[in-house]
Structure formats: structure tokens, C-alpha cells
Amino acid sequence: MTARITLLCHGRSTARPSAFPAGEPLAEGEAARVAALAPALGKLAHILTSPEQIARQTVDALSLTSIVDPALADLDLGDWRGKSLSDIEASEPGALETWMVDTDFAGHGGESRSVLMGRVSAWLERRRSIDGHTLAVTHPAVLQAAMLTVLRSPAPAFRNIDVAPLHVLDLRSDGYRWAIRSFGRL
């Protein structure tokens, strides 16, 4: 029995640089770039997606049919959604710095990175013994949390992993543990 999960980060969005996402759609022309990746995905037994629009649009661009899985949702940044880093720093001095070093920080009214890691860890545990290749289209924070979970790394290492649009994290399980097969572009 072998379970395989390919976590695919959604395509590039229309979000402003240096701003937290707020549900923006795929950027113009991005659907064609996403579609070009479809053949590299291979045979898929299960296709899951985050509930956010950009993940669902990425799945649509791949011409796939998916099931929405709330466990794949992006990190909930609460009041910071759509705000630029400079706006947050101006209105809440020191809050960004605290957020960067304290993975339990949820002062924005959303979800802490520690809570996200727990959510992703529980999701991986539930899928460990599911046969076949699962594609999970999601967000950078979910890929970061999955990688840290598999590596059993401490939560503060979260910010040391950069995930770009359309990066993949490919995991394999023998039913007992997950192992990272690859990380990067398809």
C-alpha cells in the first residue's frame, strides 16, 4: 500500500506585492500557465482543493474536477487580509514582528501558524493510509506546514521555507509515515 500526495500551490494571483491575500483570483494569463502543467501530474486517484477561489480556479485551469476540503484552506489572517505590510505596521506597531517570531500569535483575529500546523498535521494523518495519488491544490502556508510536519521541524522554521505559485511538495507514505519525495516546480 502506498499513498502519494502532491500538494500544489495555486497559481499567481492578482494580489498586491507586500500585501496579505484577500481572496484575489488568478492573474491574467495564469490559467494558460497552469494548464501546461496538467500532463506532468500523471494519473490521479483523488483531487482535492482548498475552498478559496484561487485554488478552485487553479483546478479548473487543469481541467480537473475536485472535492473541496476545508482542511486545505489558507492560513486565516483575520483583520490583516488584503492589508499591506506597511499599513499593518503603521496601525499596529510591532505586531508584524511579533507574528514573525511567535507562531502562536493570532492578534489579527484569525488563525495562528501553530493552529494551521495542527490542522495540516491532522489532515496528513487521516490521508496516510489512502491508496493512490492525491492532488491537493492549496496555498503556500499549507505547503510550509506540511513540510514542517513531515520533517518534524519546530514551528519557528515556518518562515524559512519559501513557496512560490505552482510549487509542489510531493509526499509518499508507506502507511506508517510520510516522506518528502520532492519539492519545487513540476
Side-chain angles (χ1 to χ4, degrees), residues 7-11 20-21 50 52 54-55 70-77 99 103 108 111-121 123-124 136-150 154-155 157-169 171 183:
L7 292 129
L8 171 63
C9 181
H10 60 69
F20 287 113
S50 159
E52 281 85 9
I54 192 160
L72 296 172
D74 200 1
L75 176 65
D76 179 0
L77 290 165
W99 180 74
T103 57
H108 43 58
E111 179 180 41
S112 72
R113 286 176 290 164
S114 294
V115 168
L116 170 71
M117 286 184 63
R119 172 168 44 98
V120 172
S121 177
W123 180 80
L124 285 170
V137 179
T138 187
H139 309 274
V142 175
L143 272 76
Q144 291 167 309
M147 186 177 287
L148 291 177
T149 297
V150 172
F158 197 98
R159 67 186 214 145
N160 296 338
I161 302 169
D162 288 333
V163 178
L166 303 179
H167 265 119
V168 295
L169 174 61
L171 305 175
F183 174 67

Short mmCIF file of all heavy atoms in Angstrom, two decimals, residues 7-11 20-21 50 52 54-55 70-77 99 103 108 111-121 123-124 136-150 154-155 157-169 171 183:
data_model
loop_
_atom_site.label_atom_id
_atom_site.label_comp_id
_atom_site.label_asym_id
_atom_site.label_seq_id
_atom_site.Cartn_x
_atom_site.Cartn_y
_atom_site.Cartn_z
N LEU A 7 1.00 18.14 -3.13
CA LEU A 7 0.41 19.43 -2.75
C LEU A 7 0.89 20.46 -3.76
O LEU A 7 2.10 20.65 -3.94
CB LEU A 7 0.86 19.82 -1.33
CG LEU A 7 0.30 18.94 -0.24
CD1 LEU A 7 1.40 18.45 0.67
CD2 LEU A 7 -0.74 19.69 0.53
N LEU A 8 -0.05 21.07 -4.45
CA LEU A 8 0.26 22.06 -5.48
C LEU A 8 -0.18 23.42 -4.99
O LEU A 8 -1.35 23.62 -4.66
CB LEU A 8 -0.46 21.70 -6.79
CG LEU A 8 -0.43 22.72 -7.93
CD1 LEU A 8 1.02 22.95 -8.42
CD2 LEU A 8 -1.33 22.29 -9.07
N CYS A 9 0.75 24.35 -4.96
CA CYS A 9 0.40 25.72 -4.62
C CYS A 9 -0.35 26.34 -5.80
O CYS A 9 0.04 26.17 -6.96
CB CYS A 9 1.66 26.53 -4.32
SG CYS A 9 1.32 28.24 -3.85
N HIS A 10 -1.41 27.05 -5.51
CA HIS A 10 -2.22 27.69 -6.56
C HIS A 10 -1.37 28.59 -7.44
O HIS A 10 -0.24 28.94 -7.10
CB HIS A 10 -3.35 28.50 -5.92
CG HIS A 10 -2.88 29.58 -4.99
ND1 HIS A 10 -2.21 30.71 -5.42
CD2 HIS A 10 -2.95 29.69 -3.66
CE1 HIS A 10 -1.91 31.48 -4.40
NE2 HIS A 10 -2.34 30.87 -3.30
N GLY A 11 -1.94 28.98 -8.55
CA GLY A 11 -1.26 29.88 -9.49
C GLY A 11 -1.13 31.29 -8.94
O GLY A 11 -1.68 31.65 -7.90
N PHE A 20 -1.07 40.91 2.30
CA PHE A 20 -1.63 39.59 2.58
C PHE A 20 -2.81 39.35 1.64
O PHE A 20 -3.58 40.26 1.35
CB PHE A 20 -2.08 39.50 4.03
CG PHE A 20 -0.93 39.40 5.00
CD1 PHE A 20 -0.68 40.43 5.89
CD2 PHE A 20 -0.11 38.28 5.02
CE1 PHE A 20 0.37 40.34 6.79
CE2 PHE A 20 0.94 38.18 5.92
CZ PHE A 20 1.19 39.22 6.80
N PRO A 21 -2.97 38.13 1.16
CA PRO A 21 -4.06 37.83 0.21
C PRO A 21 -5.43 38.03 0.85
O PRO A 21 -5.61 37.89 2.05
CB PRO A 21 -3.84 36.37 -0.16
CG PRO A 21 -2.91 35.81 0.84
CD PRO A 21 -2.18 36.95 1.46
N SER A 50 -8.57 23.53 -1.83
CA SER A 50 -8.93 24.49 -0.80
C SER A 50 -10.25 25.15 -1.20
O SER A 50 -10.57 25.23 -2.39
CB SER A 50 -7.83 25.54 -0.72
OG SER A 50 -8.28 26.72 -0.12
N GLU A 52 -10.84 28.31 -1.18
CA GLU A 52 -10.63 29.64 -1.74
C GLU A 52 -10.70 29.64 -3.27
O GLU A 52 -10.29 28.69 -3.93
CB GLU A 52 -9.29 30.22 -1.29
CG GLU A 52 -9.33 30.77 0.12
CD GLU A 52 -9.08 29.72 1.19
OE1 GLU A 52 -8.71 28.58 0.87
OE2 GLU A 52 -9.27 30.03 2.37
N ILE A 54 -9.01 31.09 -5.63
CA ILE A 54 -7.80 30.93 -6.44
C ILE A 54 -7.41 29.46 -6.57
O ILE A 54 -6.94 29.03 -7.63
CB ILE A 54 -6.64 31.78 -5.90
CG1 ILE A 54 -5.52 31.81 -6.93
CG2 ILE A 54 -6.16 31.28 -4.54
CD1 ILE A 54 -4.56 32.95 -6.76
N ALA A 55 -7.62 28.67 -5.54
CA ALA A 55 -7.31 27.23 -5.63
C ALA A 55 -8.29 26.55 -6.57
O ALA A 55 -7.90 25.71 -7.40
CB ALA A 55 -7.36 26.60 -4.24
N PRO A 70 -11.99 21.61 3.44
CA PRO A 70 -11.71 22.76 4.31
C PRO A 70 -10.36 22.70 5.02
O PRO A 70 -9.80 23.73 5.36
CB PRO A 70 -12.85 22.73 5.33
CG PRO A 70 -13.94 21.95 4.68
CD PRO A 70 -13.25 20.95 3.78
N ALA A 71 -9.81 21.50 5.20
CA ALA A 71 -8.51 21.38 5.86
C ALA A 71 -7.39 21.97 5.01
O ALA A 71 -6.30 22.27 5.52
CB ALA A 71 -8.21 19.92 6.18
N LEU A 72 -7.64 22.18 3.72
CA LEU A 72 -6.64 22.75 2.82
C LEU A 72 -6.76 24.26 2.70
O LEU A 72 -6.04 24.88 1.91
CB LEU A 72 -6.76 22.10 1.44
CG LEU A 72 -6.47 20.61 1.39
CD1 LEU A 72 -6.81 20.04 0.01
CD2 LEU A 72 -5.01 20.33 1.74
N ALA A 73 -7.63 24.87 3.49
CA ALA A 73 -7.83 26.33 3.44
C ALA A 73 -6.53 27.06 3.80
O ALA A 73 -5.69 26.56 4.54
CB ALA A 73 -8.94 26.74 4.39
N ASP A 74 -6.42 28.25 3.28
CA ASP A 74 -5.26 29.09 3.57
C ASP A 74 -5.25 29.49 5.04
O ASP A 74 -6.27 29.43 5.73
CB ASP A 74 -5.30 30.34 2.68
CG ASP A 74 -3.95 31.02 2.55
OD1 ASP A 74 -2.95 30.52 3.11
OD2 ASP A 74 -3.88 32.05 1.85
N LEU A 75 -4.11 29.92 5.50
CA LEU A 75 -3.98 30.49 6.84
C LEU A 75 -4.93 31.67 6.97
O LEU A 75 -4.90 32.59 6.15
CB LEU A 75 -2.54 30.94 7.07
CG LEU A 75 -2.22 31.65 8.37
CD1 LEU A 75 -2.41 30.71 9.55
CD2 LEU A 75 -0.79 32.19 8.33
N ASP A 76 -5.79 31.64 7.95
CA ASP A 76 -6.76 32.73 8.17
C ASP A 76 -6.04 33.89 8.86
O ASP A 76 -5.67 33.78 10.03
CB ASP A 76 -7.93 32.23 9.01
CG ASP A 76 -8.95 33.30 9.30
OD1 ASP A 76 -8.78 34.47 8.86
OD2 ASP A 76 -9.94 32.99 9.99
N LEU A 77 -5.85 34.98 8.14
CA LEU A 77 -5.15 36.13 8.68
C LEU A 77 -6.08 37.20 9.23
O LEU A 77 -5.67 38.32 9.51
CB LEU A 77 -4.23 36.72 7.61
CG LEU A 77 -3.04 35.81 7.31
CD1 LEU A 77 -2.36 36.21 6.02
CD2 LEU A 77 -2.06 35.80 8.47
N TRP A 99 4.37 38.56 15.04
CA TRP A 99 3.85 37.48 14.20
C TRP A 99 4.97 36.67 13.58
O TRP A 99 4.89 35.45 13.48
CB TRP A 99 2.94 38.07 13.12
CG TRP A 99 2.34 37.07 12.21
CD1 TRP A 99 1.33 36.19 12.48
CD2 TRP A 99 2.71 36.82 10.85
NE1 TRP A 99 1.04 35.41 11.37
CE2 TRP A 99 1.88 35.79 10.36
CE3 TRP A 99 3.66 37.38 10.00
CZ2 TRP A 99 1.97 35.30 9.06
CZ3 TRP A 99 3.74 36.91 8.70
CH2 TRP A 99 2.91 35.88 8.25
N THR A 103 4.83 31.80 16.62
CA THR A 103 3.92 31.02 15.78
C THR A 103 2.55 30.82 16.43
O THR A 103 1.62 30.35 15.78
CB THR A 103 4.52 29.65 15.42
OG1 THR A 103 4.85 28.96 16.63
CG2 THR A 103 5.76 29.82 14.55
N HIS A 108 -4.28 39.15 14.95
CA HIS A 108 -5.02 39.70 13.81
C HIS A 108 -6.47 39.20 13.80
O HIS A 108 -7.24 39.57 12.93
CB HIS A 108 -4.34 39.32 12.49
CG HIS A 108 -3.86 37.91 12.43
ND1 HIS A 108 -4.68 36.82 12.59
CD2 HIS A 108 -2.61 37.43 12.25
CE1 HIS A 108 -3.98 35.71 12.50
NE2 HIS A 108 -2.71 36.06 12.29
N GLU A 111 -6.13 32.88 12.49
CA GLU A 111 -5.56 31.61 12.92
C GLU A 111 -4.05 31.77 13.11
O GLU A 111 -3.38 32.41 12.30
CB GLU A 111 -5.86 30.61 11.79
CG GLU A 111 -5.38 29.23 11.93
CD GLU A 111 -5.78 28.39 10.71
OE1 GLU A 111 -5.71 28.89 9.56
OE2 GLU A 111 -6.16 27.24 10.93
N SER A 112 -3.50 31.19 14.15
CA SER A 112 -2.05 31.21 14.32
C SER A 112 -1.42 30.17 13.40
O SER A 112 -2.09 29.22 12.95
CB SER A 112 -1.67 30.91 15.77
OG SER A 112 -1.89 29.55 16.07
N ARG A 113 -0.12 30.32 13.15
CA ARG A 113 0.56 29.32 12.34
C ARG A 113 0.64 27.99 13.07
O ARG A 113 0.62 26.92 12.44
CB ARG A 113 1.93 29.84 11.93
CG ARG A 113 1.80 30.92 10.85
CD ARG A 113 3.10 31.54 10.48
NE ARG A 113 3.52 32.35 11.62
CZ ARG A 113 4.74 32.82 11.80
NH1 ARG A 113 5.68 32.55 10.94
NH2 ARG A 113 5.04 33.56 12.84
N SER A 114 0.69 28.01 14.39
CA SER A 114 0.68 26.75 15.16
C SER A 114 -0.63 26.00 14.96
O SER A 114 -0.64 24.78 14.81
CB SER A 114 0.89 27.03 16.65
OG SER A 114 2.17 27.54 16.88
N VAL A 115 -1.74 26.72 14.94
CA VAL A 115 -3.04 26.09 14.70
C VAL A 115 -3.09 25.53 13.28
O VAL A 115 -3.58 24.41 13.06
CB VAL A 115 -4.20 27.07 14.98
CG1 VAL A 115 -5.53 26.53 14.46
CG2 VAL A 115 -4.28 27.39 16.46
N LEU A 116 -2.59 26.29 12.31
CA LEU A 116 -2.53 25.79 10.93
C LEU A 116 -1.73 24.50 10.87
O LEU A 116 -2.14 23.53 10.23
CB LEU A 116 -1.91 26.84 10.00
CG LEU A 116 -1.57 26.34 8.59
CD1 LEU A 116 -2.84 26.10 7.79
CD2 LEU A 116 -0.65 27.30 7.88
N MET A 117 -0.58 24.47 11.53
CA MET A 117 0.25 23.26 11.50
C MET A 117 -0.50 22.08 12.10
O MET A 117 -0.41 20.96 11.59
CB MET A 117 1.56 23.51 12.22
CG MET A 117 2.50 24.38 11.41
SD MET A 117 4.11 24.60 12.16
CE MET A 117 4.72 22.93 12.17
N GLY A 118 -1.25 22.30 13.16
CA GLY A 118 -2.06 21.23 13.74
C GLY A 118 -3.11 20.73 12.78
O GLY A 118 -3.35 19.51 12.66
N ARG A 119 -3.75 21.66 12.07
CA ARG A 119 -4.78 21.30 11.09
C ARG A 119 -4.19 20.46 9.96
O ARG A 119 -4.74 19.43 9.57
CB ARG A 119 -5.43 22.57 10.54
CG ARG A 119 -6.38 22.34 9.41
CD ARG A 119 -7.24 23.52 9.04
NE ARG A 119 -6.67 24.83 8.95
CZ ARG A 119 -6.27 25.42 7.82
NH1 ARG A 119 -6.36 24.79 6.66
NH2 ARG A 119 -5.81 26.66 7.84
N VAL A 120 -3.05 20.90 9.44
CA VAL A 120 -2.42 20.20 8.32
C VAL A 120 -1.86 18.84 8.79
O VAL A 120 -1.98 17.83 8.08
CB VAL A 120 -1.32 21.07 7.68
CG1 VAL A 120 -0.51 20.29 6.65
CG2 VAL A 120 -1.95 22.31 7.04
N SER A 121 -1.30 18.79 9.97
CA SER A 121 -0.80 17.54 10.51
C SER A 121 -1.91 16.51 10.65
O SER A 121 -1.75 15.34 10.28
CB SER A 121 -0.12 17.79 11.87
OG SER A 121 0.31 16.58 12.43
N TRP A 123 -4.70 16.44 8.96
CA TRP A 123 -5.12 16.09 7.61
C TRP A 123 -4.18 15.03 7.02
O TRP A 123 -4.64 14.03 6.46
CB TRP A 123 -5.16 17.34 6.74
CG TRP A 123 -5.58 17.09 5.33
CD1 TRP A 123 -6.85 16.93 4.86
CD2 TRP A 123 -4.72 16.96 4.19
NE1 TRP A 123 -6.84 16.72 3.50
CE2 TRP A 123 -5.55 16.73 3.07
CE3 TRP A 123 -3.34 17.03 4.01
CZ2 TRP A 123 -5.02 16.56 1.79
CZ3 TRP A 123 -2.83 16.86 2.73
CH2 TRP A 123 -3.67 16.64 1.64
N LEU A 124 -2.87 15.24 7.17
CA LEU A 124 -1.90 14.26 6.67
C LEU A 124 -2.08 12.91 7.36
O LEU A 124 -2.00 11.87 6.71
CB LEU A 124 -0.47 14.77 6.86
CG LEU A 124 -0.01 15.86 5.91
CD1 LEU A 124 1.32 16.44 6.37
CD2 LEU A 124 0.09 15.33 4.49
N ALA A 136 -3.63 17.80 -4.16
CA ALA A 136 -4.27 18.75 -3.25
C ALA A 136 -3.82 20.15 -3.64
O ALA A 136 -2.65 20.51 -3.47
CB ALA A 136 -3.88 18.45 -1.81
N VAL A 137 -4.72 20.95 -4.20
CA VAL A 137 -4.40 22.31 -4.63
C VAL A 137 -4.70 23.25 -3.47
O VAL A 137 -5.84 23.31 -2.98
CB VAL A 137 -5.19 22.70 -5.89
CG1 VAL A 137 -4.85 24.13 -6.31
CG2 VAL A 137 -4.88 21.73 -7.02
N THR A 138 -3.67 23.97 -3.04
CA THR A 138 -3.80 24.74 -1.81
C THR A 138 -2.91 25.99 -1.86
O THR A 138 -2.70 26.56 -2.92
CB THR A 138 -3.54 23.81 -0.60
OG1 THR A 138 -3.81 24.48 0.61
CG2 THR A 138 -2.15 23.21 -0.61
N HIS A 139 -2.35 26.38 -0.73
CA HIS A 139 -1.68 27.68 -0.56
C HIS A 139 -0.27 27.51 0.01
O HIS A 139 0.03 26.48 0.62
CB HIS A 139 -2.52 28.55 0.39
CG HIS A 139 -3.95 28.61 -0.03
ND1 HIS A 139 -4.43 29.51 -0.94
CD2 HIS A 139 -5.00 27.82 0.30
CE1 HIS A 139 -5.72 29.29 -1.14
NE2 HIS A 139 -6.08 28.27 -0.39
N PRO A 140 0.57 28.54 -0.14
CA PRO A 140 1.94 28.43 0.37
C PRO A 140 2.01 28.02 1.84
O PRO A 140 2.81 27.15 2.20
CB PRO A 140 2.50 29.85 0.17
CG PRO A 140 1.75 30.38 -1.00
CD PRO A 140 0.36 29.82 -0.85
N ALA A 141 1.18 28.60 2.69
CA ALA A 141 1.25 28.29 4.13
C ALA A 141 0.94 26.83 4.40
O ALA A 141 1.51 26.23 5.32
CB ALA A 141 0.30 29.19 4.91
N VAL A 142 0.06 26.23 3.62
CA VAL A 142 -0.28 24.82 3.82
C VAL A 142 0.90 23.93 3.39
O VAL A 142 1.22 22.96 4.08
CB VAL A 142 -1.57 24.45 3.07
CG1 VAL A 142 -1.86 22.95 3.16
CG2 VAL A 142 -2.74 25.26 3.63
N LEU A 143 1.57 24.27 2.29
CA LEU A 143 2.77 23.52 1.90
C LEU A 143 3.85 23.65 2.96
O LEU A 143 4.52 22.67 3.30
CB LEU A 143 3.29 23.97 0.54
CG LEU A 143 2.69 23.26 -0.68
CD1 LEU A 143 1.30 23.74 -0.99
CD2 LEU A 143 3.59 23.43 -1.88
N GLN A 144 4.04 24.86 3.48
CA GLN A 144 5.04 25.06 4.54
C GLN A 144 4.71 24.20 5.76
O GLN A 144 5.59 23.52 6.31
CB GLN A 144 5.08 26.54 4.96
CG GLN A 144 5.64 27.45 3.90
CD GLN A 144 5.36 28.91 4.21
OE1 GLN A 144 4.23 29.29 4.48
NE2 GLN A 144 6.40 29.72 4.17
N ALA A 145 3.46 24.21 6.18
CA ALA A 145 3.05 23.44 7.36
C ALA A 145 3.22 21.94 7.11
O ALA A 145 3.65 21.21 8.01
CB ALA A 145 1.60 23.76 7.71
N ALA A 146 2.90 21.48 5.91
CA ALA A 146 3.06 20.05 5.59
C ALA A 146 4.53 19.65 5.64
O ALA A 146 4.88 18.59 6.19
CB ALA A 146 2.46 19.75 4.22
N MET A 147 5.39 20.48 5.07
CA MET A 147 6.81 20.17 5.08
C MET A 147 7.34 20.10 6.51
O MET A 147 8.07 19.16 6.87
CB MET A 147 7.59 21.20 4.26
CG MET A 147 9.06 20.83 4.13
SD MET A 147 9.99 21.98 3.11
CE MET A 147 9.38 21.56 1.49
N LEU A 148 6.99 21.06 7.33
CA LEU A 148 7.46 21.06 8.72
C LEU A 148 6.93 19.85 9.48
O LEU A 148 7.64 19.26 10.30
CB LEU A 148 7.04 22.34 9.42
CG LEU A 148 7.76 23.60 8.94
CD1 LEU A 148 7.21 24.83 9.65
CD2 LEU A 148 9.26 23.50 9.14
N THR A 149 5.69 19.46 9.20
CA THR A 149 5.10 18.29 9.85
C THR A 149 5.87 17.03 9.49
O THR A 149 6.24 16.25 10.37
CB THR A 149 3.62 18.15 9.46
OG1 THR A 149 2.91 19.29 9.95
CG2 THR A 149 3.01 16.90 10.03
N VAL A 150 6.12 16.83 8.21
CA VAL A 150 6.81 15.62 7.76
C VAL A 150 8.25 15.59 8.31
O VAL A 150 8.73 14.53 8.73
CB VAL A 150 6.80 15.53 6.23
CG1 VAL A 150 7.69 14.40 5.73
CG2 VAL A 150 5.37 15.33 5.73
N PRO A 154 10.56 22.29 14.16
CA PRO A 154 9.84 23.20 15.05
C PRO A 154 9.09 24.27 14.26
O PRO A 154 9.51 24.68 13.18
CB PRO A 154 10.96 23.82 15.90
CG PRO A 154 12.20 23.65 15.09
CD PRO A 154 12.01 22.41 14.26
N ALA A 155 7.99 24.71 14.82
CA ALA A 155 7.14 25.70 14.15
C ALA A 155 7.87 26.97 13.73
O ALA A 155 7.57 27.52 12.67
CB ALA A 155 5.94 26.03 15.04
N ALA A 157 10.52 27.34 12.26
CA ALA A 157 11.17 27.15 10.95
C ALA A 157 10.22 27.48 9.80
O ALA A 157 10.64 27.56 8.65
CB ALA A 157 11.67 25.72 10.84
N PHE A 158 8.96 27.70 10.11
CA PHE A 158 7.93 28.03 9.12
C PHE A 158 8.40 29.12 8.16
O PHE A 158 8.27 29.00 6.94
CB PHE A 158 6.68 28.50 9.88
CG PHE A 158 5.41 28.51 9.09
CD1 PHE A 158 4.52 27.45 9.19
CD2 PHE A 158 5.08 29.57 8.28
CE1 PHE A 158 3.33 27.46 8.50
CE2 PHE A 158 3.89 29.59 7.58
CZ PHE A 158 3.02 28.53 7.68
N ARG A 159 8.96 30.17 8.71
CA ARG A 159 9.33 31.32 7.86
C ARG A 159 10.60 31.09 7.05
O ARG A 159 10.99 31.93 6.26
CB ARG A 159 9.43 32.59 8.70
CG ARG A 159 10.56 32.58 9.67
CD ARG A 159 10.52 33.79 10.56
NE ARG A 159 11.88 34.19 10.86
CZ ARG A 159 12.28 35.41 11.01
NH1 ARG A 159 11.42 36.39 10.90
NH2 ARG A 159 13.52 35.68 11.28
N ASN A 160 11.24 29.94 7.21
CA ASN A 160 12.46 29.63 6.45
C ASN A 160 12.18 28.86 5.17
O ASN A 160 13.11 28.45 4.48
CB ASN A 160 13.43 28.82 7.32
CG ASN A 160 13.92 29.62 8.51
OD1 ASN A 160 13.89 30.85 8.50
ND2 ASN A 160 14.33 28.94 9.54
N ILE A 161 10.91 28.66 4.86
CA ILE A 161 10.53 27.93 3.65
C ILE A 161 9.77 28.89 2.73
O ILE A 161 8.75 29.44 3.11
CB ILE A 161 9.62 26.73 3.98
CG1 ILE A 161 10.32 25.78 4.96
CG2 ILE A 161 9.22 26.00 2.70
CD1 ILE A 161 9.39 24.73 5.54
N ASP A 162 10.30 29.08 1.54
CA ASP A 162 9.63 29.92 0.55
C ASP A 162 8.88 29.02 -0.43
O ASP A 162 9.45 28.07 -0.96
CB ASP A 162 10.62 30.78 -0.23
CG ASP A 162 11.20 31.91 0.61
OD1 ASP A 162 10.52 32.36 1.54
OD2 ASP A 162 12.34 32.33 0.32
N VAL A 163 7.62 29.35 -0.66
CA VAL A 163 6.79 28.60 -1.60
C VAL A 163 6.25 29.60 -2.62
O VAL A 163 5.58 30.55 -2.25
CB VAL A 163 5.62 27.88 -0.89
CG1 VAL A 163 4.76 27.15 -1.92
CG2 VAL A 163 6.14 26.91 0.17
N ALA A 164 6.55 29.35 -3.87
CA ALA A 164 6.08 30.22 -4.96
C ALA A 164 4.85 29.60 -5.61
O ALA A 164 4.58 28.41 -5.47
CB ALA A 164 7.20 30.39 -5.98
N PRO A 165 4.10 30.41 -6.36
CA PRO A 165 2.97 29.86 -7.11
C PRO A 165 3.42 28.68 -7.97
O PRO A 165 4.50 28.70 -8.57
CB PRO A 165 2.51 31.03 -7.98
CG PRO A 165 2.90 32.24 -7.19
CD PRO A 165 4.23 31.86 -6.55
N LEU A 166 2.60 27.63 -7.97
CA LEU A 166 2.77 26.41 -8.74
C LEU A 166 3.93 25.53 -8.27
O LEU A 166 4.31 24.57 -8.95
CB LEU A 166 2.88 26.69 -10.24
CG LEU A 166 1.67 27.45 -10.81
CD1 LEU A 166 1.86 27.71 -12.30
CD2 LEU A 166 0.38 26.69 -10.56
N HIS A 167 4.47 25.80 -7.09
CA HIS A 167 5.42 24.87 -6.49
C HIS A 167 4.65 23.64 -6.01
O HIS A 167 3.48 23.73 -5.65
CB HIS A 167 6.14 25.49 -5.29
CG HIS A 167 7.46 26.08 -5.63
ND1 HIS A 167 7.74 27.41 -5.45
CD2 HIS A 167 8.58 25.52 -6.13
CE1 HIS A 167 8.97 27.65 -5.83
NE2 HIS A 167 9.51 26.53 -6.26
N VAL A 168 5.32 22.51 -5.98
CA VAL A 168 4.71 21.27 -5.49
C VAL A 168 5.56 20.67 -4.37
O VAL A 168 6.79 20.81 -4.36
CB VAL A 168 4.51 20.22 -6.60
CG1 VAL A 168 3.53 20.69 -7.64
CG2 VAL A 168 5.83 19.81 -7.23
N LEU A 169 4.87 20.03 -3.47
CA LEU A 169 5.50 19.22 -2.43
C LEU A 169 4.94 17.82 -2.63
O LEU A 169 3.74 17.61 -2.49
CB LEU A 169 5.16 19.75 -1.03
CG LEU A 169 5.63 18.91 0.15
CD1 LEU A 169 7.16 18.78 0.16
CD2 LEU A 169 5.14 19.53 1.45
N LEU A 171 4.71 14.00 -1.52
CA LEU A 171 4.88 13.16 -0.34
C LEU A 171 4.48 11.73 -0.65
O LEU A 171 3.55 11.49 -1.43
CB LEU A 171 4.00 13.68 0.80
CG LEU A 171 4.17 15.14 1.21
CD1 LEU A 171 3.13 15.50 2.26
CD2 LEU A 171 5.58 15.39 1.71
N PHE A 183 10.43 18.66 -3.76
CA PHE A 183 9.85 19.98 -3.53
C PHE A 183 10.41 20.91 -4.60
O PHE A 183 11.60 20.94 -4.85
CB PHE A 183 10.21 20.50 -2.14
CG PHE A 183 9.78 21.92 -1.89
CD1 PHE A 183 8.43 22.23 -1.80
CD2 PHE A 183 10.70 22.93 -1.76
CE1 PHE A 183 8.01 23.54 -1.58
CE2 PHE A 183 10.29 24.24 -1.53
CZ PHE A 183 8.95 24.54 -1.44
#
